[in-house]
Amino acid sequence: MSVQSAVRRLTAPDIRAKKGGEPIVSLTAYHAHTARLIDPHVDFMLVGDSLGMVMHGMETTVPVTVDMMILQGQAVMRGSARALVVVDLPFGSYEGSPQQAFATAARVLKESGAGAVKLEGGRRMAETVRFLADRGVPVMGHVGLTPQAINTLGSFKALGRDEASAALILDDARSIADAGAFSIVLEAISEPLARQITQEVAPPTIAIGGSPACDGQILVLEDMLGLSDRVPRFVKKFAEIGPAIGAAVEAYASEVRARSFPGPEHVYAPKKG
C-alpha cells in the first residue's frame, strides 16, 4: 500500500514571509491545464482580469465581471495543488465602499476556493484594504499602472518617471502597505522607484515592469510564451509557441484534406469473433 504525502498549498502569509529572501515567482493563469503545467514552478498564480483581453479579445479589462473571475478561479484551483491562487476583483465590484469590496471578496473566495484577492489603487483604497484585512481577507495591492483606470489614464504607459509622479506612487505603496496588504504589485514604473518602494515597504513587492530588485516578478503567461501579437516593453518572450501552434494546425489540416489522417493506428477495428 503506497502512502502519498499531501501537498500543502502556499498561503498569503507564506508569500509575505518571502520579503527580502529568494525572489518570488509568479505568472497569470486562467485555465486548469496551464495551471497544472506551471504549478510546480511558481509561488503564486494570479487569475488576472487580463483574462478579458487574453481570453475574450476585449480591448481593456473594464468589462470583466465577477462571474468571469470566479469561473476561471475555479478552473485554476482545480488544476493546481501547490501555488497560492490570487483572484483579481474586477472593475466596479469593490470601489463603491469597503462593504461592497468585502461582499465581493467573500463571494470570490468562497466560490472559487482561492486564497487571496487583488485590487488596484493606492491611497484611495487604503481604507478598503484595511477593512478587508481586518476581516480575514488576504489582499494583494496593485499600484503604478492600474489597467482598470485606463479610461482615466488614457493609455497604457509607464508611470513614476518624474519626481512628482514618483512621489505619488511611493505614497500609494506606503498607504496600502500600512493598511495591511500582504504584497504589492508594481506595474510599469521607473526602475529606481520600484527599487525604492521595495526597500521602504514591509510587504514583498511583485514587479511587472519594475525592477530586478523587487521581491518577485510576474508576467502574463501568454505573453512570455509568445502567444500574444503585441507585448509591452517589460515582457521577455521565453518561448515562441504561437508559431508552433500555427505550424501544427497547418500540418493537421493538410493531412485531413489528403485523407492521410486518421491512419490505421487512429481508428478502431471490429472485434474478432
Side-chain angles (χ1 to χ4, degrees):
M1 178 177 178
S2 64
V3 177
Q4 293 183 341
S5 59
V7 176
R8 189 182 77 85
R9 190 181 289 274
L10 294 174
T11 64
D14 291 326
I15 300 301
R16 186 180 180 94
K18 290 180 176 290
K19 176 72 179 184
E22 183 180 54
I24 298 163
V25 179
S26 53
L27 287 166
T28 62
Y30 317 117
H31 321 88
H33 64 279
T34 51
R36 190 172 297 111
L37 289 171
I38 69 175
D39 190 46
H41 309 290
V42 301
D43 299 302
F44 76 86
M45 303 179 197
L46 175 65
V47 184
D49 58 2
S50 51
L51 67 85
M53 302 167 77
V54 175
M55 293 181 61
H56 298 281
M58 297 173 178
E59 291 187 4
T60 71
T61 63
V62 172
V64 173
T65 67
V66 175
D67 287 342
M68 292 167 67
M69 299 307 305
I70 290 172
L71 183 66
Q72 302 313 136
Q74 292 169 340
V76 170
M77 285 296 295
R78 284 192 291 267
S80 61
R82 174 188 168 275
L84 170 68
V85 175
V86 183
V87 178
D88 265 338
L89 300 185
F91 177 74
S93 71
Y94 64 93
E95 298 92 337
S97 68
Q99 291 76 14
Q100 181 200 27
F102 178 77
T104 303
R107 183 185 168 209
V108 167
L109 294 181
K110 283 184 175 184
E111 296 185 27
S112 72
V117 299
K118 181 172 77 65
L119 56 78
E120 296 182 3
R123 288 156 295 158
R124 65 183 176 84
M125 295 310 301
E127 179 186 358
T128 295
V129 171
R130 182 173 288 107
F131 190 90
L132 295 180
D134 286 348
R135 285 157 179 79
V137 177
V139 181
M140 179 177 288
H142 184 154
V143 302
L145 173 60
T146 49
Q148 292 177 9
I150 186 60
N151 290 330
T152 299
L153 296 173
S155 63
F156 295 107
K157 59 185 177 182
L159 302 173
R161 303 180 78 177
D162 61 82
E163 189 172 331
S165 63
L168 292 175
I169 295 172
L170 177 59
D171 188 39
D172 280 340
R174 287 170 173 164
S175 296
I176 59 173
D178 292 344
F182 74 89
S183 60
I184 304 173
V185 172
L186 307 179
E187 180 166 0
I189 64 175
S190 72
E191 193 280 331
L193 174 60
R195 186 180 294 267
Q196 181 183 2
I197 291 172
T198 301
Q199 293 169 347
E200 294 192 16
V201 301
T205 56
I206 312 297
I208 179 166
S211 168
C214 288
D215 297 295
Q217 303 291 327
I218 187 168
L219 286 174
V220 171
L221 178 65
E222 285 75 4
D223 288 352
M224 59 87 73
L225 290 179
L227 290 169
S228 304
D229 293 333
R230 297 176 60 188
V231 297
R233 171 189 174 91
F234 53 71
V235 173
K236 175 179 178 178
K237 292 186 178 183
F238 287 81
E240 286 288 356
I241 293 178
I245 292 174
V249 173
E250 181 182 13
Y252 164 72
S254 177
E255 291 193 17
V256 168
R257 292 182 177 120
R259 297 191 184 276
S260 58
F261 175 83
E265 68 274 28
H266 305 120
V267 297
Y268 298 97
K271 289 184 177 179
K272 295 180 179 179

